[in-house]
DNA sequence: ATGAAAGCGCTAACAC
DNA sequence: GTGTTAGCGCTTTCAT
């Protein structure tokens, strides 16, 4: 009755709202139920100190008016019951599973998840995180972030946070949930050794020597350790592929045609392994006769009969649900950091 | 100085904040710059009526204090500069491109996008949309939503909205951006006819006869029209596959071994087409000798040499950027609905 | 057990 | 051009 001047052009009141009536707020509900706004608020949050009758009463009004609390307004004082998930990028087939696992846990706890896509771009990642903090989200789950431990710490000081796919086992401000990447690499190496291979190479992403926190680096460490244990230290070698997809074809061509081509390749990710399988077969190589390959992530495409790529499965769904559970306990007050590792499994297929 | 009782357990003030000082708000900045909060607010929004000196002054303070406005608080009166994107599901390889296109346009306009994943589940979709509205987002882009036009209208009344991959050309409350799906289907049929095929089948998703708004339905319409134009109405037939992946293998097996197996198949999506290619080759069929196949979406996997699936490309990036542009003009006041169609292109590969 | 009232951080009238 | 101030819808003391 006060903000309805004829000239009012504000969206909510003039254009969007159905003709009749104003927006339903906590006050509308309170009036309808004949109680105070404080009472309604308490019912909303299942807070202590409301009689069952009042509760029923308020619930009925909420239902009748189809009232929904404004998350924005809630965020100004209490919780928003919304958490943010930051993904490095959206195209990696491993990520949907993680999101799925997170959602499953969150939904039963009454939380909702909103995602941000970092696009493999650090400044964007940081600005999305800030945006999520500014939205007053209750917590954050970061998946394979590119930033430094310092930056992560900086954000963790502002909001409860759990990180997946980024090794930082000494961090005290946030939790990390990871696949045991070095164990996974070792399992791949063992599988090759068992089948008689000695010339086993690893293909890893070139991160310019930095990023000791990346999953790729942990897999490389595991590879070297396993090669050593098998007495193959002198045969151990890592072939690096550049970040962008541009030169990958040529690099792989060089690798596959080199005189010292290995008999087995452990590849840091299915993304590259699938490309490798395609190029190798395209050149007439027999898999695994001429070359055995194991990838990482057990993505859908790897399972296609025409690809048939053996791969390490790190159970993204489980990683996601563990992260969500960790975040919830962190939101409700836990301070001590946790850094569990999950053992991956080998999915043997024709390429092995 | 007032909300720092020793027993205070609220996260923001007691646990998360760095030891020194309180949260930086617009008031902190105003005090630091020696101006009013209104002045700061105006600088923040590039509003009319601030002197250049004051502006510089405020910007310096903002920088110095590394202040960021609270989206939640902004949302209570003005804009949040955040828009929501709702995806049916996250696994479809076509979606990343769309998101990419949206982001590109939004970022230059100073907006951020947050995603919700519907998981092919209508109630979840609806609750995510409500959550986005409750977060006071400035607008919504829905990608291939499953809900009815009525439900969409209901939401569009509450928030500026643009829909991708859902045909509703008579909608007045929101825009739709689509590939010209019937034209795409016709192009596929023509390509087959040109190559001498007469027994051309379409494979479509079974939606229980409903969903006349789905892209699959439009493609089916285009298929029938094109078959009629080619004088092949009597040969036209559509083979339906169930929604879940469970029975798909068996269905495709039946299709591929049937005595009246077609010589060419136009498949509503790469997702199914890729599976079809795998099963057909696995049975020893020659592609395209024994069977020609065209998919839809031109996904990455289709382009792999070992798959080599011809496919209709609907340029997801373009769809995304058009949607973002439409949303921005809608946010700034446009009321008339727009329903543009984008012509897809055929990417010919070995399966054709 | 219930309610009144003081903010939360911002925007937008409206004064000056 | 700049400042004052009244809310936005909610949570949370603190009375009652």
């Amino acid at each position: 009755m006060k903000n309805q001047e004829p000239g009012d052009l504000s969206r909510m009141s003039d254009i969007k709202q159905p003709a009749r009536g104003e927006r339903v707020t906590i006050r509308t509900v309170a009036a309808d139920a004949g109680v105070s706004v404080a009472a309604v608020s308490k019912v909303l949050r299942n807070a202590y100190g409301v009689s069952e009758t009042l509760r029923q009463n308020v619930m009925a009004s909420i239902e009748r008016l189809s009232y929904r609390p404004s998350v924005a307004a809630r965020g100004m004082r209490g919780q928003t019951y919304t958490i943010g998930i930051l993904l490095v990028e959206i195209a990696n087939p491993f990520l949907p599973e993680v999101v799925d696992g997170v959602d499953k846990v969150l939904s039963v706890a009454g939380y909702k998840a909103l995602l941000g896509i970092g696009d493999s771009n650090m400044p964007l990642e940081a600005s999305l995180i800030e945006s999520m903090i500014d939205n007053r989200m209750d917590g954050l789950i970061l998946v394979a972030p590119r930033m430094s431990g310092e930056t992560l710490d900086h954000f963790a000081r502002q909001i409860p946070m759990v990180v997946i796919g980024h090794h930082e086992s000494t961090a005290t401000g946030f939790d990390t949930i990871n696949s045991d990447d070095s164990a996974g690499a070792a399992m791949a190496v063992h599988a090759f050794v068992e089948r008689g291979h000695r010339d086993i190479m690893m293909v890893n992403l070139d991160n310019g020597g930095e990023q000791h926190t990346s999953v790729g680096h942990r897999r490389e460490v595991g590879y070297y350790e396993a090669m050593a244990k098998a007495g193959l230290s002198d045969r151990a070698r890592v072939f690096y592929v550049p970040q962008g997809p541009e030169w990958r074809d040529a690099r792989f061509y060089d690798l596959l045609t080199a005189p010292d081509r290995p008999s087995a390749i452990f590849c840091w990710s299915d993304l590259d392994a699938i490309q490798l399988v395609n190029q190798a077969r395209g050149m007439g190589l027999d898999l695994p006769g001429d070359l055995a390959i194991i990838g990482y992530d057990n993505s859908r495409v790897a399972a296609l009969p025409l690809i048939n790529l053996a791969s390490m499965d790190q159970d993204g769904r489980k990683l996601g649900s563990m992260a969500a559970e960790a975040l919830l306990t962190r939101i409700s007050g836990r301070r001590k950091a946790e850094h569990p590792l999950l053992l991956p499994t080998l999915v043997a297929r024709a390429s092995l």
Side-chain angles (χ1 to χ4, degrees), chain A residues 85 97-106 141 162 164 177 315-329 342:
Chain A
I85 305 180
E97 284 191 29
V98 176
V99 174
D100 229 59
V102 173
D103 272 340
K104 210 126 294 171
V105 171
L106 248 35
I141 294 179
V162 176
I164 298 177
I177 313 280
D315 199 345
R317 206 173 309 270
K318 178 77 177 167
L319 287 172
S321 62
M322 285 178 68
E325 272 156 9
L327 186 61
L328 290 180
T329 63
L342 229 69

Side-chain angles (χ1 to χ4, degrees), chain A residues 86-91 95 116-130 142-148 151-152 155 205 211 243:
Chain A
L86 182 84
L87 304 182
V88 246
E89 46 138 359
I90 192 178
L95 303 174
I117 309 295
D119 204 25
S120 299
N121 161 344
M122 243 192 56
L124 212 204
E125 276 184 11
S127 99
L128 275 171
I129 292 180
E130 292 182 341
L142 313 186
V143 185
R146 290 258 200 282
M147 31 197 135
S148 69
T151 312
L152 291 175
F155 288 127
L205 194 65
Q211 296 275 121
Q243 299 258 7

Side-chain angles (χ1 to χ4, degrees), chain A residues 167-182:
Chain A
H167 292 270
E168 199 103 36
S169 56
T170 61
T172 59
F174 55 91
D175 304 320
T176 65
I177 313 280
N178 280 291
S179 166
D180 190 337
D181 290 296
S182 62

Side-chain angles (χ1 to χ4, degrees), chain A residues 60 124 216 241 253 259 289:
Chain A
L124 212 204
V241 292
Y253 180 83

Side-chain angles (χ1 to χ4, degrees), chain A residues 7-339:
Chain A
D8 181 6
L9 287 174
S10 90
R11 237 176 43 232
M12 295 317 276
S13 59
D14 194 9
I15 298 181
K16 291 294 140 196
Q17 282 303 83
R20 46 157 188 112
E22 315 258 303
R23 167 173 245 287
V24 177
T25 77
I26 197 173
R27 251 176 281 275
T28 325
V29 176
D32 184 89
V35 299
S36 72
V37 293
V40 177
S41 175
K42 279 177 184 156
V43 170
L44 248 32
R45 293 170 293 121
N46 301 309
Y48 179 80
V50 276
S51 69
E52 190 50 29
T53 39
L54 187 149
R55 196 190 142 66
Q56 299 286 347
N57 205 343
V58 170
M59 290 301 261
S61 288
I62 288 178
E63 190 69 29
R64 182 169 341 115
L65 301 168
S66 58
Y67 160 78
R68 296 189 327 255
S70 155
V71 176
R74 287 186 129 177
M76 297 198 61
R77 303 213 105 247
Q79 306 199 168
T80 56
Y81 299 97
T82 304
I83 76 112
I85 305 180
L86 182 84
L87 304 182
V88 246
E89 46 138 359
I90 192 178
N92 191 319
F94 163 65
L95 303 174
E97 284 191 29
V98 176
V99 174
D100 229 59
V102 173
D103 272 340
K104 210 126 294 171
V105 171
L106 248 35
S107 65
V108 315
Y111 279 76
K112 296 215 171 337
L114 254 25
L115 310 201
I117 309 295
D119 204 25
S120 299
N121 161 344
M122 243 192 56
L124 212 204
E125 276 184 11
S127 99
L128 275 171
I129 292 180
E130 292 182 341
S131 170
M132 289 172 167
I133 294 175
D134 300 343
N135 268 293
R136 294 288 181 277
M137 291 186 172
D138 292 343
L140 254 44
I141 294 179
L142 313 186
V143 185
R146 290 258 200 282
M147 31 197 135
S148 69
E150 219 172 279
T151 312
L152 291 175
D153 256 328
H154 166 73
F155 288 127
R157 255 191 293 279
Q158 308 174 52
I159 187 170
M161 197 171 96
V162 176
V163 179
I164 298 177
H166 178 110
H167 292 270
E168 199 103 36
S169 56
T170 61
T172 59
F174 55 91
D175 304 320
T176 65
I177 313 280
N178 280 291
S179 166
D180 190 337
D181 290 296
S182 62
M187 291 168 71
V189 170
H190 289 150
F192 284 139
V193 171
E194 262 177 14
R195 283 160 180 78
H197 291 279
R198 310 213 59 210
D199 196 3
I200 304 164
M201 174 191 265
M202 172 172 180
V203 166
N204 199 1
L205 194 65
D206 188 358
N207 52 39
E210 296 297 315
Q211 296 275 121
H212 288 269
T213 55
S214 71
V215 295
H217 180 258
R218 293 301 307 161
R219 288 169 199 168
E220 193 172 318
V221 167
Y223 163 79
Y224 277 118
E225 286 175 359
M227 289 296 276
K229 260 195 193 140
L232 298 171
S233 280
D234 51 328
R235 314 291 282 269
R237 49 187 173 139
V238 176
F239 185 88
Y240 293 100
V241 292
Q243 299 258 7
E246 307 85 34
W247 305 99
R248 205 156 296 194
D249 280 38
R251 281 288 282 163
F252 283 157
Y253 180 83
D254 291 347
L255 168 58
L256 292 169
T257 55
D260 63 340
R261 187 185 66 216
S263 72
I265 293 179
F266 164 58
C267 189
W268 79 283
S269 162
D270 276 6
L271 280 167
D272 281 328
I274 286 163
Q275 166 114 19
L276 209 46
V277 167
N278 272 272
Q279 285 189 230
R281 289 245 186 81
M283 292 170 51
L285 259 47
D286 176 55
L287 271 52
D290 298 321
L291 177 66
I293 302 181
I294 297 179
Y296 217 109
D297 283 350
N298 188 27
S299 57
R300 278 195 214 185
V301 178
L304 288 173
L306 288 175
I307 305 292
N308 225 331
L309 168 71
S311 188
M312 300 304 307
D313 187 322
Q314 50 175 331
D315 199 345
R317 206 173 309 270
K318 178 77 177 167
L319 287 172
S321 62
M322 285 178 68
E325 272 156 9
L327 186 61
L328 290 180
T329 63
R330 197 165 258 285
I331 287 175
S332 48
R334 175 170 57 80
R335 306 294 309 281
K336 207 161 79 30
E338 294 174 355
H339 303 283

